[in-house]
Amino acid sequence: MIDWKDRKEFWVAGARIADPVTGRIRTGSVLIRKGLIEEITWQKQVKTDLPVLEAGGLLLAPGFIDIHTHLREPGFEDKETIETGTAAAAAGGYTAIVCMANTDPVIDDPTVVEHVLKRAADSGNCRVYVIAAVTKGLEGVDICEYHHLKEAGAVALSDDGKYITNSQVMRSALEYAGMQGLVIISHCEDPYLTNESQMNESYWSTKLGLKGAHAASEEIAVARDIRLAELTGSMLHIAHVSTAGAVDLIKKAKKRGVVVTAEATPHHLTLDESMLEDYDRNLKVNPPLRGKKDIAALLAALRDGTIDCIATDHAPHTAIDKQVEFDLAPPGMIGLETSFAQLNTELVGKGELELIDLIRLMTSRPADVLGLPGGKMAEGEPADLVLIDPNERWTPERENLRSKSFNSPLLGKELTGRVQGVFLEGKWFSSII
Ligand SMILES: [Zn+2]
């Protein structure tokens, strides 16, 4: 393929152009000039003296936006860095990610927000937005200074990885965050109930001899936070929803006007607890993989809008971190580079979701949840675009992934649909290495 990296003006011609806002996919051509989408035409071919990237058979969509990424830098650069994490994002079709606060030091101070944004500007391969902590050191005791964090560039607040167990702290946090117009993203698991659990509590946890976390551990946490969001009138976003009961609580809350949004991860939407039969540590995640009825409820919630968007919870861990007894392995799996292919294979390919709805759940909807720019296919917008071959079969392997870590249960498994690369402000980044 021609190297499009240094082209400043060119046409992408004959692509199937996905517009998540209108919900249409139509064949056409896009003129990219000076980093912007200058023109969209519904012609297959264009008469022009400018260079033309022939994209017949490929899908052109707004770049994906991930609102739940663990970049690990600063502090855990052996797992991932801002450079490798954003390269993984770009390779997976993302042109913007929002990184979580559980680094070392924790992103609970304006100087750390500024540090991450500076590092991302210097070495990042996509746009990076920062989530700051709700409480100092993620300890759930003292709330941070949200005004200063917002001034430094934080776009949301989260103690992700931990639930804020003290309800008064969460109430105050919501009140102050609301004054700043910041969303609080909550990791909903009651730690007293999930205590030392390894998977979902069910027939399977008994069969496999692993301590389980009951769905109630998530649902109790979701119920409290919804009630506090209702009390304070502040914005709440529920991270990685995984149970049918949590879906039900969010659905009812939305109906009575609570300002709550929610996300689901590719792994909770496509993988279930029975897959832990081989004790693959890469399937150990928080909250845990659940049962088939939960997955069915999550899919219904994606279709009816109860769950607003898809987010990866990309959580890199080194091979050494994971090569220990199951109960000692840290939870989490990577996801940025495989999310589209995994969801296209398992959901679109099996008739669970339309392709345009999947695109919307990965572009305009996450942008709406956090009030971020992007996710639109429109003239005058930055040329942040993803080019996809929805039919290409490929197999993720260590060698063709860019993340520093390889903790994915999908290695060696054939998937359908491959991101070819992204344009970031018109600059090409190829996914294929
Ligand atoms: Zn989490």
Side-chain angles (χ1 to χ4, degrees), residues 68 70 160-161 187 239-240 286 313:
H68 193 146
H70 296 276
D160 184 57
H187 176 126
H240 40 53
N286 283 348
D313 195 5

Side-chain angles (χ1 to χ4, degrees), residues 94 264-271 310-313 335 338-339 342-343:
Y94 293 87
T265 69
H267 48 273
H268 289 116
L269 290 164
T270 58
L271 307 172
I310 291 168
T312 66
D313 195 5
T338 50
S339 53
Q342 183 181 16
L343 295 163

Side-chain angles (χ1 to χ4, degrees), residues 79-295:
K79 297 175 194 276
E80 195 79 283
T81 64
I82 289 169
E83 186 175 355
T84 61
T86 54
Y94 293 87
T95 50
I97 58 162
V98 192
C99 64
M100 278 295 175
N102 61 342
T103 50
D104 183 16
V106 169
I107 308 177
D108 60 2
D109 185 275
T111 57
V112 190
V113 176
E114 285 160 6
H115 170 78
V116 171
L117 288 172
K118 169 91 173 56
R119 290 280 299 133
D122 292 346
S123 67
N125 295 289
C126 68
R127 295 176 200 274
V128 174
Y129 300 98
V130 174
I131 295 169
V134 178
T135 66
K136 299 241 170 75
L138 308 177
E139 286 172 357
V141 181
D142 300 312
I143 62 174
C144 299
E145 293 179 8
Y146 303 150
H147 175 71
H148 296 302
L149 291 167
K150 188 182 179 186
E151 290 222 311
V155 298
L157 302 165
S158 183
D159 277 6
D160 184 57
K162 288 180 162 180
Y163 185 59
I164 295 163
T165 53
N166 183 321
S167 303
Q168 179 54 39
V169 170
M170 186 60 172
R171 178 182 178 178
S172 299
L174 280 163
E175 279 168 354
Y176 284 105
M179 287 176 207
Q180 298 301 327
L182 289 169
V183 184
I184 290 188
I185 302 172
S186 185
H187 176 126
C188 287
E189 283 188 294
D190 181 327
Y192 298 106
L193 287 170
T194 57
N195 186 27
E196 291 182 14
S197 61
Q198 304 298 318
M199 65 175 300
N200 185 39
E201 182 179 317
S202 68
Y203 160 83
W204 282 100
S205 57
T206 308
K207 184 174 174 185
L208 300 178
L210 294 172
K211 185 165 186 255
H214 196 274
S217 59
E218 178 169 331
E219 290 150 8
I220 287 166
V222 170
R224 186 207 70 176
D225 282 357
I226 284 174
R227 188 67 187 89
L228 290 176
E230 190 168 21
L231 174 67
T232 57
S234 298
M235 295 181 286
L236 172 71
H237 177 74
I238 311 289
H240 40 53
V241 175
S242 76
T243 79
V247 165
D248 193 45
L249 287 161
I250 295 161
K251 192 172 188 170
K252 284 179 178 147
K254 284 188 166 188
K255 259 197 192 139
R256 59 177 198 273
V258 183
V259 191
V260 59
T261 54
E263 74 194 27
T265 69
H267 48 273
H268 289 116
L269 290 164
T270 58
L271 307 172
D272 75 79
E273 58 185 352
S274 70
M275 296 172 180
L276 280 155
E277 202 163 17
D278 298 327
Y279 298 91
D280 179 355
R281 285 130 181 85
N282 294 324
L283 292 168
K284 180 176 168 182
V285 282
N286 283 348
L289 301 180
R290 308 283 187 185
K292 293 199 165 69
K293 280 186 184 159
D294 295 300
I295 294 177

